[in-house]
C-alpha cells in the first residue's frame, strides 16, 4: 500500500487554473466593457470552503476519465442556475455541484463566477469556471481543468472513515428489516441511509461509493486494502455465481447485478470468503439479508467500498 502523507480530513491547497485552455463567446462590440477581473481573484473568496490538490492539466493519455470537453459556448448554459454543459446534461454516471459568487470588476462592472465540479466514477474530476457579466451573459470567459483521483489511503485512514460513517449506516439498516426503504430499489436503500450523514460523499451514479477496500474480478484478479467491515457498501456488476450450498451440497447458479446491484455489508467471513449483506429490490422490495460466497464468483465484478467524507475529493463538508 502506498503511503499517504496528508491526513484524510486535512485541507489541501486551493485549486488554481494554471495555463487553462479557454473557450470564449463571440467578442462584444468595441463599446461594451470587458470583464477583466481574473478568475483567481474571484476564487479567493471561496478558496477556504472548497480546496483540493493543485494539479497540472491532465492530457488525453492521463488514464483518468476527466478530460477536456466541449463547453458549448453558444448554449450559454451558465445563465441557468445549476445547469450543466450539454455534454453532461443527460449523464447519470456523474456527481455534480456548483457554486456562484458575485463581485465587481476593476472596470466597475458586475461579475458572476460559476464553478462547476463534475466527479466521475474513478473519482477524477473536471472543474469548469464560467465568469460573465450578468447584464450580458454572452460576455463570458470559460475555463476547464482536471484533477486525478485521490491518492490511495493508509489503513488507519480507512478505519477512521468507517468509524465516522460505516458504523452509523449498519445501525440504521439493521432496524429496517422487512420494510421498503425509499423507492424500493437497491440504490434507493443506500441513498436513504446516507441522507442523514453530514459530510458524507454521495455515490457517483450506481457504480462508485467511496474508497475501494476490496475488488474481485471473476476470481481472476483480487485486491484488498483493508478489512471488510459492517456498513461498507458492496456492489455487484454483471456477476454470476455457481457452486454448491446447504448440507446436501445442492448445485446452484445465480446471476446478480444486470448491470448493477448494491447493498450494505452486514458480515464478512474471510476464511470462507462469505459475505452477508442487507439488500432490497432484487428478489423482494423489502430489506432482507442475503449471502454471497465469493469463491463461487464465475464472472463479473464485486467491489466493496468504504464511505468517505466530501473532503476526500477536495469538496466542502456541507452537503
Amino acid at each position: 500500500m502506498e503511503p499517504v502523507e496528508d491526513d484524510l480530513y486535512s485541507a489541501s491547497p486551493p485549486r488554481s487554473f494554471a495555463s487553462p485552455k479557454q473557450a470564449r463567446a463571440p467578442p462584444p462590440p468595441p463599446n461594451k466593457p470587458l470583464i477583466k477581473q481574473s478568475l483567481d481573484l474571484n476564487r479567493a473568496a471561496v478558496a477556504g470552503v472548497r480546496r483540493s490538490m493543485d494539479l497540472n492539466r491532465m492530457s488525453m493519455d492521463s488514464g483518468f476519465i476527466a478530460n477536456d470537453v466541449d463547453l458549448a459556448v453558444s448554449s450559454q448554459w451558465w445563465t441557468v442556475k445549476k445547469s450543466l454543459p450539454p455534454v453532461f446534461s443527460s449523464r447519470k454516471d456523474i456527481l455534480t455541484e456548483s457554486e456562484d459568487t458575485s463581485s465587481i470588476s476593476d472596470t466597475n462592472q458586475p461579475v458572476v463566477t460559476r464553478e462547476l465540479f463534475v466527479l466521475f466514477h474513478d473519482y477524477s474530476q473536471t472543474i469548469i469556471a464560467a465568469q460573465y457579466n450578468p447584464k450580458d451573459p454572452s460576455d463570458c470567459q470559460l475555463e476547464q481543468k482536471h484533477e486525478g483521483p485521490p491518492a490511495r489511503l493508509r489503513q488507519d485512514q480507512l478505519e477512521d472513515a468507517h468509524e465516522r460513517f460505516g458504523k452509523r449506516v449498519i445501525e440504521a439498516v439493521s432496524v429496517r428489516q422487512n420494510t421498503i426503504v425509499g423507492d424500493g430499489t437497491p440504490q434507493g436503500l443506500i441513498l436513504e441511509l446516507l441522507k442523514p450523514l453530514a459530510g458524507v460523499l454521495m455515490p457517483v451514479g450506481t457504480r462508485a461509493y467511496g474508497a475501494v477496500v476490496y475488488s474481485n474480478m471473476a476470481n481472476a484478479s483480487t485486491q484488498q486494502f483493508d478489512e471488510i467491515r459492517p456498513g461498507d457498501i458492496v456492489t455487484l456488476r454483471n456477476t454470476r455465481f455457481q457452486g454448491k450450498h446447504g448440507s446436501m451440497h445442492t448445485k446452484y447458479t445465480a446471476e446478480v447485478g444486470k448491470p448493477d446491484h448494491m447493498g450494505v455489508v452486514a458480515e464478512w467471513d474471510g476464511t470462507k470468503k462469505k459475505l452477508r449483506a442487507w439488500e432490497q429490490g432484487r428478489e423482494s422490495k423489502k430489506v432482507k439479508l442475503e449471502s454471497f460466497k465469493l469463491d463461487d464468483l464465475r464472472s463479473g465484478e464485486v467491489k466493496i467500498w468504504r464511505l468517505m467524507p466530501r473532503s476526500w475529493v477536495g469538496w466542502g463538508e456541507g452537503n
Side-chain angles (χ1 to χ4, degrees), residues 243-252 274 293 296:
K244 298 178 181 180
H245 65 83
S247 58
M248 302 298 292
H249 300 287
T250 306
K251 291 183 179 180
Y252 81 97
K274 187 175 181 179
K293 192 173 181 182
D296 291 345

Side-chain angles (χ1 to χ4, degrees), residues 163 165-177 193 230-231 264-265 278:
E163 286 289 326
F165 300 120
K167 286 188 173 181
R168 294 176 61 188
V169 167
I170 194 61
E171 290 171 0
V173 73
S174 299
V175 299
R176 305 290 186 94
Q177 187 171 9
L193 292 171
V264 178
V265 173
W278 293 103

Side-chain angles (χ1 to χ4, degrees), residues 91-214:
R91 291 187 60 167
K92 297 181 179 180
D93 60 343
I94 56 177
L95 181 64
T96 67
E97 63 177 55
S98 61
E99 291 179 349
D100 287 2
T101 57
S102 299
S103 59
I104 301 296
S105 73
D106 54 8
T107 58
N108 205 33
Q109 294 297 312
V111 178
V112 174
T113 300
R114 171 171 298 172
E115 289 186 296
L116 172 65
F117 301 83
V118 182
L119 192 64
F120 300 93
H121 66 77
D122 67 346
Y123 289 100
S124 64
Q125 60 183 307
T126 290
I127 306 160
I128 299 170
Q131 187 184 62
Y132 64 95
N133 185 338
K135 295 180 179 179
D136 182 5
S138 66
D139 183 6
C140 181
Q141 298 179 28
L142 291 173
E143 298 182 349
Q144 60 180 309
K145 65 165 289 192
H146 314 285
E147 297 183 355
R152 185 176 297 169
L153 298 172
R154 300 189 309 265
Q155 188 173 0
D156 64 298
Q157 293 174 314
L158 290 169
E159 291 173 359
D160 288 344
H162 177 260
E163 286 289 326
R164 182 174 178 184
F165 300 120
K167 286 188 173 181
R168 294 176 61 188
V169 167
I170 194 61
E171 290 171 0
V173 73
S174 299
V175 299
R176 305 290 186 94
Q177 187 171 9
N178 295 322
T179 66
I180 297 175
V181 177
D183 61 5
T185 63
Q187 194 182 38
L189 171 63
I190 309 301
L191 295 177
E192 287 296 318
L193 292 171
L194 298 190
K195 280 182 180 179
L197 303 183
V200 72
L201 183 64
M202 296 301 285
V204 181
T206 59
R207 294 186 59 181
Y209 293 81
V212 174
V213 295
Y214 175 88

